[in-house]
Amino acid sequence: MSDVMIDAADGGRFSAYVAKPTVAPAGGLVVIQEIFGVNAVMREMCDWYASQGFLAVCPDLFWRQKPGVQLTDKTQEEWNQAFALLNGMDQDKAVDDLKAALAWVRGQDGCTGKAGSVGYCLGGRLAFMMATRSDADANVGYYGVGLEGLLGEADKIAKPLLLHIAENDKFSSPEKRDAVVAGVKDNTWVTAKVYPGMDHAFARPGGEHYDRDAADEANRLTVEFFRTHLA
């Protein structure tokens, strides 16, 4: 487990946390951060994906504003900082950085050359954007925010995409949730799974709405999905 530097498409360099599996070559995964930066939770997720046989890299998407952000979800001050960083983010450039991370992981000796993305919260939204705007081999989004506003891009999805949707997501609404499910149902590349009774971030260990059973189910499906599509 280590940190590396990756060249951005428009100049500059950003850091990324890398976790390597015990067996190589492996499929590559770009793990996309929540609004709290590449914090302990995201690093642990990378370590877990590596334990499942993937070469995982989590790039710092806040580097243009403030490199090295590592917040938690435990205090209001940190939430305020996180939302300020989210509001200051250029999401188009963030996708460019994710594409750079995707190219980086594909180019590693320990990678098969196949690679996808998996993201949470903000990262779940960006994983959807990776499905519409990149050549990632497969993508997974956990409770992505604002996906209903991206449905105009849905017809560009031509690689497998798995969406884990919280039924009672506090950052969404039943109408928005239903719009997303309806908006992707005719695309055979997309699987949208709604988790009954779950709230936002149900898969974040230690979080307010963490639910072990739902998280275990989502994570099992995610690993099976990537083992299928990145083999």
Side-chain angles (χ1 to χ4, degrees):
M1 322 313 168
S2 61
D3 288 279
V4 299
M5 299 300 294
I6 297 174
D7 293 326
D10 60 346
R13 307 181 82 204
F14 56 89
S15 67
Y17 178 77
V18 178
K20 297 180 179 179
T22 55
V23 178
L29 275 186
V30 178
V31 181
I32 313 176
Q33 65 174 67
E34 298 179 291
I35 61 174
F36 306 107
V38 185
N39 61 3
V41 171
M42 298 312 303
R43 291 168 185 265
E44 287 166 8
M45 290 305 303
C46 286
D47 294 348
W48 182 78
Y49 280 115
S51 78
Q52 300 301 306
F54 302 101
L55 175 57
V57 55
C58 185
D60 177 4
L61 299 182
F62 288 150
W63 70 278
R64 299 169 190 277
Q65 301 176 74
K66 183 179 178 182
V69 170
Q70 294 193 52
L71 301 171
T72 78
D73 62 342
K74 303 306 182 189
T75 69
Q76 187 59 48
E77 181 184 355
E78 288 176 293
W79 275 97
N80 293 343
Q81 290 180 55
F83 277 118
L85 288 161
L86 170 64
N87 292 333
M89 170 187 272
D90 183 324
Q91 293 189 13
D92 294 331
K93 288 188 176 181
V95 172
D96 288 340
D97 292 341
L98 292 170
K99 290 180 184 177
L102 184 74
W104 181 90
V105 75
R106 279 178 170 157
Q108 299 307 296
D109 289 340
C111 184
T112 60
K114 283 198 169 186
S117 77
V118 55
Y120 303 81
C121 177
L122 163 65
R125 174 183 174 84
L126 293 171
F128 188 98
M129 295 169 76
M130 286 290 281
T132 64
R133 302 184 188 185
S134 83
D135 66 349
D137 294 292
N139 302 279
V140 175
Y142 284 73
Y143 31 82
V145 289
L147 299 188
E148 71 282 350
L150 296 173
L151 290 173
E153 301 182 29
D155 61 347
K156 297 177 183 176
I157 300 169
K159 297 282 181 68
L161 170 64
L162 172 60
L163 299 175
H164 300 297
I165 299 171
E167 181 186 38
N168 301 325
D169 195 319
K170 67 180 181 181
F171 294 117
S172 185
S173 68
E175 294 75 22
K176 291 177 180 178
R177 177 199 67 220
D178 293 345
V180 171
V181 173
V184 298
K185 70 178 177 61
D186 292 331
N187 188 324
T188 57
W189 292 107
V190 186
T191 301
K193 180 174 172 60
V194 178
Y195 291 77
M198 291 300 103
D199 202 338
H200 190 78
F202 66 82
R204 183 197 300 138
E208 179 184 0
H209 303 298
Y210 178 68
D211 184 283
R212 180 181 294 277
D213 290 343
D216 286 351
E217 171 74 355
N219 292 337
R220 179 185 65 79
L221 292 172
T222 295
V223 168
E224 289 178 357
F225 179 84
F226 283 131
R227 285 178 178 163
T228 297
H229 298 299
L230 301 183

